[in-house]
Amino acid sequence: MSAGATPPDTGWNTRPAPTPLDLGRRIRPKVARPAPTPGDPDWQVKPQAGPPALRPLDLEKLYAARLQAVRARPYLATALFALHLVESRQVPTMGVDRQWRCYASPGFVERTAVEDLASIWVHEVSHLLRDHHGRSDRLARDLGLRDPADRLRMNIAADCEINDDAFGDGLVKPAGALTPRLLGLPEGKLMEDYLRGFSFDLRRPGLAWLDCGGGADGVDRPWELGPDGAHGLTAQERDAVRFRVAEGIRGRPGNAPAGWRRWAEEVFHPPQPWRQLLGAAMRSAVSGPGAGGDYSYGRPARRSAGLPGVVLPSLRRRPPRVSVVVDTSGSVSDRELGSALLEVAAIGRAVGGRHDQVTVLSCDAAAQSVGALCRAAGIPLIGGGGTDLRTGFAAALRTRPQPDVVVVLTDGQTPWPTVAPACRTVVGLFRRPSRYDENNGEYRPDAPPEWARVVTIG
Amino acid sequence: MPMPMPAHARLDVARQLLDLLGDTRTEPRPDDQLEALTLAVAADLPVLLWGEPGIGKTAALNQLAEALDLPLTTVIASVHEPSDFSGLPIVGDDPAQQGVPLAPPDWAVRLVRAGRGLLFLDELSTAPPAVQAALLRLVLERRIGALQLPPGVRIVAAANPRSSAADGWELSPPLANRFVHLQWVHDHEVVVRGLGGVWPVATLPRLDPAALPAAVAFARRAVCELLTVRPELVHRLPTSETKRGGAWPSPRSWDMTLRLIAFATAAGSSREVLSLLVRGTVGDGPGLELMASMDRMDLPDPEQLLADPAGAVLPERGDLRQVVLDGVVAAVRNRPERARWDAAWALLLRALESGAPDVLVVPATTLASLRREDWEVPEAIEHLASTVALSRRADRAAGRVAARTNVTAGR
């Protein structure tokens, strides 16, 4: 498209600030396009002249589509503009590689409407932002998947993760877009869930643009330029782009849908598994002075005999005593509770405790199920108490000898002691949807107190 | 029938076989994690390698010691007692008069006598808290008992990540904050090639003497610019126990970051290496923010671009180009003058000639709206009309999307 050279007339100077649209109209009055109708050349298939292999890539159309994508999803602008467009006659439709190049087939671009291309831009960049290639590689390694068909399933799973909330709100769902619903699967899952949990029926029709390239499933394609090719992004540059997109979403969270907001929160700070966190909280609680194995000069070391005149400390291992208070008043499932208890017991043993050093107190009538789990784990279940956790704390602290650490497993719907107990406290909090009491709208359970180390479980 | 071999001869053959197996070569090979390790050791910062057991942390250390020509002293932290690091109290004839001296262990004495060396503290995370406390002094003050480690001694430690160590302790936050944390992962190719007899060699980065003052100035600017706008990043102790035992931002770790940036800049290291080091010193989040802020520092200054639009070199990448052009338009908005407005149009034109046109739509729209009554439209705008066509094409597509959605909603 070339611009007609019409000199600006004098009317220019009397008008208020023009927009480029005005400037364009002013300069090229004769090439104004007709209003958008179903007969619009962008919308319909153009009459084909000559063999398809000889037509050049319609860059203008792709750039217009990218512009529309940027307008519909401003928070993805950085990522969309970071993609480098490469014409390829080998790529079936459009695809991305791991170095953030976007390959487009001229024939496909010609056949596809601008608005569909805009959605495909967003789809492809989502593969890269969500690191689907890296996650595919990890899945392949963890699950031992080496079959090419497995990579196709990864691409499908990745598409499902993206497409369930990518379209709408300014973007159309392109023809042939694969959604979980199309495959009869639940929405809102992660790629890993789709891959592990469901089997795909690949004979279904409509799986038209499935090859999203190496950026989606981690396998190099013949048309890709590879890590040494031109215009690729290095690992650090890719991280920087993803970081800036995440920063933009976190800065103005109102504009982005929940899926992208969650991505932005977790992309560089993935949530840690609660087992690790609970273990760390317990280890650091029992490793404080006075508990666990540590050095003391209270008694000379065995080495001392060989080194007259040298005063050596000795390693005294005083196993930590752990009291676990279980709040069974809430809707804590036996399975969750059991796994949390086993975790506590295992850590107690690992840091030097013995079976009899871990005591469990339950705070409600559901002690039976807890008892069974605890017997299986070899933990004796002692005592009981009310639904008020404060009595649980008191009971735990009354046991003699006094515990070094109190671990409380609760859903948090309880009053807490007002003063810190005389030992370290770890609170394992089962995540629950907030319960609202219609008779007592003012009631909000207190958050766990400051002096406790809190780990959210589940 | 061959004579049975005597036992000592059989052992000699076994020795020959072992020698053959031990006969490996090294090759220079770009390896980001090895370069990061070498750079941090050169910068005299204590490094902590995190890695699963058996992936070659010790082998890498041997390579490094060889490359730096430093004798390697390995100390397994978890089997030592606190007094091995803080010094063994020796009771003399008259403790009240003479005091009780703290005698250092033999390896420390040898290290001090040699004057140089690589001290490798292995299995740091399984060391009990009291040993970790004693190590604090060794790592920070470089003192063992009464001995002061000479400047030629470098310290590297290794730890197994929590997930692979059944027991062990969280690294205490003060100790963790003194290290550059490097995640040590095995590179499949390096391992296969190494088992084939060729290991990568660590080369000491060559620091360019002419670039030193500029490197220091750059490092200071990079850290200070970020911390000026993000004061909350100066000190942030992580909330969870597991993260406290890793890299987190504090004035001390920012100071280490500054030093590492200066070293990486003077050595001409890649951004990948610098990213490993920075994220390993102040943590992933603050590290990435610093890297992003440094990327912006690399971009051309809008005022310089406006001063010489004909000689302007714009970044290739669309997203960076967008940032630069937005900056140029913002500069014109701040000080609207006819010459600057024209220069901005010339810059947009240059951008159109050398890159994708969709990036230009927003800056062109904004720039057009900055026009004053008496400013004539420059020639350049004619060429930019294609971006207007592009913009309208996108508008039409958006209109069709809206129409389609309305139809669906109405149904």
Side-chain angles (χ1 to χ4, degrees):
Chain A
M1 286 192 187
S2 65
T6 310
D9 60 22
T10 47
W12 258 113
N13 296 336
T14 56
R15 273 197 211 168
T19 67
L21 217 67
D22 299 329
L23 302 185
R25 231 177 256 137
R26 179 64 51 182
I27 289 162
R28 308 188 307 121
K30 283 171 192 155
V31 290
R33 285 178 159 267
T37 56
D40 192 309
D42 289 345
W43 193 68
Q44 267 191 343
V45 178
K46 283 181 185 171
Q48 297 188 357
L54 295 177
R55 284 191 312 274
L57 182 63
D58 187 351
L59 285 172
E60 296 263 343
K61 191 171 181 182
L62 274 171
Y63 286 137
R66 183 160 76 173
L67 190 59
Q68 194 214 324
V70 166
R71 285 176 178 167
R73 301 282 184 274
Y75 47 88
L76 299 182
T78 299
L80 284 165
F81 285 142
L83 283 173
H84 180 78
L85 194 57
V86 179
E87 174 176 353
S88 168
R89 294 179 191 281
Q90 285 172 280
V91 64
T93 53
M94 263 170 87
V96 282
D97 70 4
R98 281 175 283 188
Q99 286 78 31
W100 285 61
R101 300 185 199 92
C102 181
Y103 301 85
S105 142
F108 175 71
V109 171
E110 184 156 342
R111 285 195 304 277
T112 312
V114 175
E115 55 268 38
D116 284 20
L117 287 174
S119 301
I120 294 171
W121 273 109
V122 168
H123 173 94
E124 299 296 345
V125 88
S126 301
H127 277 306
L128 296 172
L129 282 171
R130 294 173 185 222
D131 189 30
H132 279 155
H133 50 96
R135 286 158 66 188
S136 290
D137 285 346
R138 280 194 287 281
L139 271 172
R141 195 188 56 212
D142 293 349
L143 304 179
L145 305 175
R146 273 183 291 273
D147 197 327
D150 290 325
R151 291 289 180 160
L152 178 65
R153 288 173 55 225
M154 286 176 201
N155 198 335
I156 295 173
D159 280 1
C160 286
E161 181 189 306
I162 293 173
N163 288 352
D164 57 2
D165 62 352
F167 308 125
D169 195 18
L171 290 180
V172 290
K173 195 180 110 185
L178 192 63
T179 57
R181 194 183 295 173
L182 193 73
L183 298 174
L185 302 176
E187 294 191 343
K189 302 273 181 194
L190 293 177
M191 168 192 181
E192 286 81 359
D193 301 331
Y194 286 123
L195 192 74
R196 287 204 178 102
F198 312 103
S199 60
F200 305 111
D201 185 359
L202 298 182
R203 286 163 300 177
R204 297 185 71 121
L207 308 185
W209 40 285
L210 253 182
D211 195 345
C212 294
D217 57 14
V219 176
D220 293 333
R221 302 295 199 279
W223 58 81
E224 290 176 358
L225 300 176
D228 301 326
H231 298 296
L233 264 58
T234 63
Q236 197 271 320
E237 289 170 329
R238 300 194 292 258
D239 275 355
V241 171
R242 294 167 71 216
F243 180 75
R244 277 176 54 196
V245 172
E247 214 181 21
I249 292 176
R250 277 204 302 268
R252 263 176 291 167
N255 301 337
W260 279 113
R261 284 207 300 275
R262 196 177 55 223
W263 169 83
E265 288 300 327
E266 294 178 358
V267 58
F268 290 111
H269 303 280
Q272 277 178 304
W274 64 265
R275 265 167 225 283
Q276 263 182 36
L277 292 173
L278 184 64
M282 270 205 58
R283 270 190 296 267
S284 84
V286 299
S287 70
D294 212 340
Y295 289 87
S296 99
Y297 286 91
R299 195 186 287 188
R302 278 174 298 172
R303 276 196 202 173
S304 299
L307 293 164
V310 179
V311 182
L312 291 172
S314 59
L315 179 63
R316 308 306 304 169
R317 187 148 274 235
R318 194 167 73 75
R321 280 179 295 270
V322 180
S323 268
V324 188
V325 179
V326 181
D327 166 19
T328 45
S329 62
S331 53
V332 179
S333 82
D334 289 355
R335 210 179 127 199
E336 282 176 318
L337 191 57
S339 69
L341 268 176
L342 283 176
E343 199 65 21
V344 171
I347 294 161
R349 271 199 298 278
V351 295
R354 299 186 302 267
H355 283 195
D356 56 336
Q357 302 280 40
V358 181
T359 53
V360 179
L361 298 101
S362 79
C363 259
D364 201 60
Q368 296 309 317
S369 56
V370 183
L373 280 159
C374 293
R375 267 194 299 279
I379 306 169
L381 188 73
I382 311 165
T387 48
D388 187 342
L389 258 188
R390 287 176 296 195
T391 57
F393 264 102
L397 294 171
R398 264 200 311 276
T399 52
R400 289 291 176 268
Q402 272 212 337
D404 297 305
V405 183
V406 173
V407 179
V408 184
L409 301 174
T410 176
D411 59 0
Q413 313 284 326
T414 174
W416 297 92
T418 44
V419 289
C423 68
R424 285 143 207 275
T425 311
V426 177
V427 175
L429 208 56
F430 294 101
R431 196 180 299 160
R432 289 286 168 274
S434 61
R435 276 183 286 175
Y436 178 72
D437 183 357
E438 61 182 281
N439 297 321
N440 186 4
E442 294 300 304
Y443 173 73
R444 293 281 181 283
D446 292 331
E450 294 274 313
W451 36 262
R453 294 161 200 267
V454 182
V455 176
T456 306
I457 295 175
Chain B
M1 189 176 161
M3 287 286 288
M5 230 187 243
H8 65 87
R10 277 188 229 174
L11 265 185
D12 283 347
V13 178
R15 166 61 47 203
Q16 281 177 27
L17 184 55
L18 284 175
D19 285 347
L20 273 176
L21 282 169
D23 185 18
T24 56
R25 289 182 296 119
T26 55
E27 62 176 0
R29 177 194 173 93
D31 182 342
D32 285 346
Q33 63 182 8
L34 201 56
E35 189 179 339
L37 170 64
T38 319
L39 208 56
V41 169
D44 197 15
L45 292 174
V47 185
L48 178 53
L49 305 180
W50 288 96
E52 305 290 329
I55 58 162
K57 296 191 290 286
T58 316
L61 255 291
N62 280 321
Q63 298 284 339
L64 183 70
E66 206 169 296
L68 302 180
D69 190 25
L70 290 173
L72 180 68
T73 305
T74 302
V75 178
I76 313 277
S78 55
V79 301
H80 280 268
E81 304 194 341
S83 49
D84 291 348
F85 301 108
S86 59
L88 300 155
I90 310 271
V91 181
D93 293 337
D94 191 356
Q97 282 299 313
Q98 315 241 328
V100 179
L102 295 170
D106 62 333
W107 55 263
V109 175
R110 280 202 299 271
L111 210 52
V112 171
R113 200 174 291 151
R116 46 199 284 284
L118 189 61
L119 176 58
F120 179 35
L121 303 168
D122 206 355
E123 300 201 21
L124 194 69
S125 54
T126 39
V131 173
Q132 287 191 14
L135 280 170
L136 260 182
R137 191 151 173 263
L138 166 59
V139 172
L140 181 71
E141 295 175 31
R142 309 169 61 92
R143 292 186 76 92
I144 304 170
L147 278 185
Q148 174 82 44
L149 287 181
V153 174
R154 303 292 154 96
I155 300 172
V156 179
N160 298 327
R162 181 82 318 109
S163 54
S164 65
D167 55 351
W169 312 84
E170 304 305 321
L171 220 53
S172 72
L175 188 60
N177 197 234
R178 282 172 169 82
F179 281 107
V180 179
H181 300 252
L182 291 181
Q183 303 297 326
W184 208 256
V185 287
H186 78 266
D187 179 348
H188 179 75
E189 266 181 61
V190 167
V191 170
V192 172
R193 193 121 174 83
L195 292 174
V198 185
W199 289 100
V201 64
T203 46
L204 190 63
R206 200 181 303 271
L207 301 171
D208 178 6
L212 299 186
V216 173
F218 175 78
R220 293 215 164 114
R221 214 180 110 216
V223 171
C224 294
E225 272 189 13
L226 176 71
L227 295 186
T228 308
V229 291
R230 295 293 313 274
E232 64 272 32
L233 286 184
V234 171
H235 189 276
R236 208 166 61 186
L237 187 63
T239 46
S240 88
E241 235 68 55
T242 46
K243 286 185 181 142
R244 282 183 195 187
W248 51 273
S250 75
R252 187 203 340 261
S253 52
W254 282 114
D255 185 49
M256 289 159 60
T257 307
L258 202 152
R259 201 194 290 198
L260 288 168
I261 297 173
F263 265 78
T265 311
S269 296
S270 69
R271 277 289 162 90
E272 267 66 51
V273 173
L274 185 57
S275 172
L276 285 178
L277 289 168
V278 165
R279 289 159 78 168
T281 313
V282 287
D284 272 348
L288 278 162
E289 278 201 45
L290 178 67
M291 297 303 289
S293 146
M294 282 167 63
D295 282 346
R296 266 166 242 165
M297 277 170 62
D298 281 352
L299 296 179
D301 179 30
E303 291 300 333
Q304 280 177 10
L305 290 176
L306 285 172
D308 178 21
V313 179
L314 294 167
E316 288 263 329
R317 264 169 57 193
D319 57 325
L320 299 180
R321 185 169 279 221
Q322 180 205 16
V323 173
V324 170
L325 294 178
D326 284 350
V328 165
V329 174
V332 175
R333 185 202 295 276
N334 286 344
R335 196 151 55 84
E337 285 167 19
R338 174 72 205 269
R340 290 159 67 82
W341 194 66
D342 286 346
W345 283 115
L347 280 170
L348 287 183
L349 191 60
R350 276 188 74 86
L352 180 68
E353 284 160 2
S354 59
D358 52 343
V359 181
L360 305 178
V361 172
V362 173
T365 314
T366 323
L367 196 60
S369 71
L370 294 178
R371 180 173 168 273
R372 296 283 169 93
E373 297 266 314
D374 52 337
W375 293 354
E376 278 178 31
V377 178
E379 289 285 308
I381 293 190
E382 293 172 22
H383 301 281
L384 283 163
S386 64
T387 65
V388 179
L390 199 72
S391 172
R392 294 177 58 206
R393 201 169 174 183
D395 283 341
R396 283 200 303 276
R400 286 193 299 272
V401 174
R404 251 204 246 182
T405 327
N406 286 341
V407 168
T408 321
R411 242 186 300 193

